[in-house]
């Protein structure tokens, strides 16, 4: 059973950094592709980036070069390092796990989701 819990959100000024964490208490996510997604008020959910079981990453164009996804297999943790934050990065951020055959950017292929953590970037 995959049980995901995000942490690390908060309020930060534009240009600042935050690191989000995602813990899986069930330890099953070791065998899954993982992704970070976000949803801003009034907007559709968008994919931030994904990381495969073996650590290959893919990012959305609008965050490429600013955000980095990593995973610690020993600690069963997923991370999202966010640098150069902009007000338009304000959203609730979610981690999710997928057993699809590839690490897809399609959020509908992710079966397990955390509860989300709020990130607010002030101008």
């Amino acid at each position: 059973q995959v049980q995901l819990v995000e942490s690390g959100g908060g309020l930060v000024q534009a240009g600042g950094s935050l690191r989000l964490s995602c813990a899986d208490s069930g330890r099953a996510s070791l065998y899954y592709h993982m992704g970070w997604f976000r949803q801003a008020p009034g907007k559709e959910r968008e994919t931030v980036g994904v990381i495969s079981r073996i650590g290959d990453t893919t990012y959305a164009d609008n965050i490429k070069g600013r955000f980095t996804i990593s995973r610690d297999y020993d600690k069963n943790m997923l991370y999202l390092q966010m640098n150069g934050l902009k007000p338009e990065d304000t959203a609730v951020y979610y981690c999710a796990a997928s057993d699809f055959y590839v690490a897809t950017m399609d959020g509908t292929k992710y079966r397990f989701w955390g509860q989300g953590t709020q990130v607010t970037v002030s101008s």
Side-chain angles (χ1 to χ4, degrees), residues 44-106:
E44 293 186 356
R45 184 184 66 201
E46 65 171 332
T47 306
V48 174
V50 301
I51 186 167
S52 73
R53 296 184 186 94
I54 61 171
D56 296 327
T57 53
T58 306
Y59 298 99
D61 288 341
N62 59 346
I63 60 90
K64 203 172 293 184
R66 298 190 297 123
F67 292 8
T68 302
I69 296 173
S70 60
R71 58 195 305 177
D72 185 324
Y73 295 94
D74 291 335
K75 296 181 179 179
N76 203 31
M77 295 290 293
L78 176 73
Y79 301 103
L80 178 64
Q81 178 67 45
M82 304 186 293
N83 300 325
L85 283 161
K86 305 175 181 180
E88 52 264 42
D89 295 318
T90 295
V92 177
Y93 284 71
Y94 301 88
C95 64
S98 170
D99 57 0
F100 198 58
Y101 71 101
V102 293
T104 177
M105 294 284 278
D106 180 359

